[in-house]
Every structure is written in structure tokens, then in C-alpha cells.
Amino acid sequence: MAEDVRRFIEALITKYGVWRVATGPFLLVPILAALGLVAGGSTVSVIAASLTLLISVILVVALAQQLRTERRRRAERDKVITRLVGILAASDKPAPYAYRTWDEHVVVSRHGDTVIDQWKEVVVEQGQELSILWAGTEQSAGRPTETERRKIEVFACNFTDTPQGRRDGADYDLVEVWQENALVIYLPLDQPIQEGRRLKIHITWVWPGFYRHLVEGGRDDVFWLSKRAKLQNLTFSMTFGPSCGLDRELRIRPFPGCPAPRQQLRADRSLVIDGAYGPKGVPPRAGFTLDNSVR
């Protein structure tokens, strides 16, 4: 019986919309009163309470229907994304673009909450055409839970260099895909970019708890991967704010072929680590290990 009622209400919502179905029962009260079928305050109160209950049921059913529809759409979208990711992952061809410059600023606050800003200048390789761009970030220490994943935000836009500094432009639509601990984003371009052309893009990752393991006394790898897209020049800075509670410099072990970054513990108890790789090229896996464990 309940299932029949639910289907009946869903059919009405599909045909007439939520608003008409929800307000429709109230039209019965003046009609019944005009016909003399409703008399007395108590009768009206009972009818009003019944209508309120009915409307609550209608709204719940409507919300459930909307949720099911959204889940179906998301499932269909995920299938398309999965096929896209599979095609790109299976391809062993080099990316049709190279990173001419990559400037990254990282700010870490209490509990390891992290904001990563990346300014990248991409140049399309000779004989290639760029229609989709991809990027990823991985939490190397600890696996983010489903709840933590839902709190992560990613934004992307183009930018221009001005005498006053970088200026953000139009936002990009992007698609997010999880691959184990890595969050990968795909940016389909409105118009393909031809060889030799350049694209400047600003990506912001807001990642709660990204460096939680490190600030709580652990170790973490800081790295950049450029297996398929060449990376010519990389500059970076990391600022661990006073709320991280660091009272000493960290032990740093650079990856093979990579110079050790600089670090400075400031008077306000913030720790700044910075460095650069290039300009003659960056190793496919560049970076270093930070160690905050007790000595």
C-alpha cells in the first residue's frame, strides 16, 4: 500500500510539479466549506493537520525522488569518466603539452589542513593539439576517508601576469576522479589549442588534513611527477603556520638527483621551506622527504 502511494505521488510530481502537488490539498478546504461539508473549528483543525501530514509526505517523496535522480545522473557520469580515465591511463604516449613553468605555494595550518596554489604555464608540443588537460595531487601519508574526501575542494581558472602580479581570469569546468589516494582533475577546453600556443592555468587545492601525519610527528614525501608531460622549471614554497606547532626545523632528505630545499624557522614559529628545480628540466619524480619524528 505504501509503495503504491509513493508511486502515485511520484507520478503526480512528474506530471504537475512539486509546488502544485504540495499546495493542491489546501484547495479542498474552501471547496468543502462552500459545500457545507466542513463545519466547526475542530473539524478544520483535523483537516489542517491531515493536510500538513500529507504535504510532509509529498515533500519527503519529492526529495527522495530528486536524490534518486541525482544518483542516476552521477552514476551515468561516473561511467563516462571511468571510460575516459581508462583511455588516458592505458595510453603510453607522451602528453601533447609540456610545463614551461610551474610555481607552487603551499600553506599548512592547524591539523595539517592545506591550501595548494599552482600556477602553471603550459605549451603545446610540436605537431600536437591540446583539448583536455589533467593534473593530480596525492596525499602520500594516510588514506583520506570518504568524509574527508567530500571536504576537499578544487578550483581552476586561467591567469595573466601583470605589473601588479598575477590576475585570475575565467573559471574552468573540471571533472574529479579518485585514483587510490590521488585526486585527479580533467579540464576539457572549449576550443582545442594548437601547437606552439601557451596556456596559463591556476589550480587551487583545499585539502583538510593533507599534512596531518607530518605535523603530528610523522614523515611525509613532497613530490612532483612528470612522467608523461615534461616539466622544464619548477619553483615552490611551503609555509607551515604557527598553528602547526612546529618548534624546530625538519629533517629533509632529497630524492636522488634533486637538490635539498632551504628552510627557515621564523620568529613567529612559522616554518618556510622553498626551492627550485630546473631550468634544464626536472626529474620525472622530483621532491624530498620531510621528517618531523622525535630525534
Side-chain angles (χ1 to χ4, degrees), residues 10-254:
E10 285 187 353
L12 290 178
I13 292 173
T14 301
K15 185 175 182 179
Y16 298 106
V18 177
W19 176 251
R20 289 186 178 181
V21 176
T23 57
F26 283 111
L27 300 177
L28 295 176
V29 176
I31 295 175
L32 295 175
L35 296 175
L37 300 178
V38 174
S42 59
T43 303
V44 174
S45 299
V46 171
I47 293 178
S50 301
L51 293 179
T52 301
L53 178 60
L54 176 59
I55 291 172
S56 299
V57 172
I58 292 173
L59 293 178
V60 169
V61 171
L63 291 175
Q65 181 190 35
Q66 183 179 5
L67 180 59
R68 285 192 295 271
T69 302
E70 180 62 27
R71 284 177 176 173
R72 284 196 297 268
R73 290 176 180 173
R74 186 175 302 175
E76 293 172 357
R77 186 199 66 177
D78 289 346
K79 290 180 181 178
V80 175
I81 293 172
T82 301
R83 288 197 297 268
L84 172 63
V85 172
I87 294 172
L88 293 176
S91 174
D92 56 357
K93 296 181 180 179
Y97 59 88
Y99 293 108
R100 184 174 180 272
T101 59
W102 181 323
D103 185 24
E104 179 164 314
H105 293 184
V106 179
V107 177
V108 186
S109 56
R110 186 185 301 274
H111 306 308
D113 294 347
T114 303
V115 177
I116 304 171
D117 281 295
Q118 300 169 332
W119 289 270
K120 306 177 182 182
E121 184 178 359
V122 173
V123 59
V124 182
E125 298 279 34
Q126 185 176 2
Q128 299 292 330
E129 182 182 79
L130 177 61
S131 57
I132 185 169
L133 189 75
W134 59 89
T137 293
E138 179 179 353
Q139 182 175 328
S140 59
R143 183 182 297 273
T145 65
E146 289 298 328
T147 301
E148 291 171 333
R149 288 185 176 189
R150 287 193 291 269
K151 295 180 181 179
I152 298 170
E153 298 179 289
V154 188
F155 310 94
C157 64
N158 61 37
F159 75 92
T160 55
D161 291 306
T162 69
Q164 293 75 31
R166 297 185 179 104
R167 178 175 297 175
D168 286 342
D171 292 333
Y172 287 106
D173 294 325
L174 54 87
V175 176
E176 303 176 14
V177 180
W178 278 96
Q179 297 178 354
E180 297 184 354
N181 289 351
L183 178 57
V184 181
I185 61 172
Y186 294 88
L187 290 77
L189 305 178
D190 293 334
Q191 296 293 333
I193 300 178
Q194 305 302 320
E195 63 176 278
R197 297 290 299 275
R198 295 179 180 180
L199 176 67
K200 294 184 176 182
I201 181 170
H202 176 200
I203 304 176
T204 301
W205 311 76
V206 182
W207 198 308
F210 188 83
Y211 282 115
R212 180 185 295 113
H213 182 72
L214 178 66
V215 300
E216 290 180 351
R219 292 184 300 177
D220 211 333
D221 289 336
V222 180
F223 59 90
W224 295 267
L225 297 177
S226 53
K227 295 180 178 179
R228 295 175 57 191
K230 298 177 182 178
L231 178 54
Q232 298 177 2
N233 191 26
L234 170 68
T235 56
F236 62 89
S237 69
M238 304 178 67
T239 301
F240 293 86
S243 61
C244 292
L246 300 179
D247 56 2
R248 64 185 185 277
E249 292 185 348
L250 303 177
R251 292 196 296 274
I252 300 179
R253 185 175 69 253

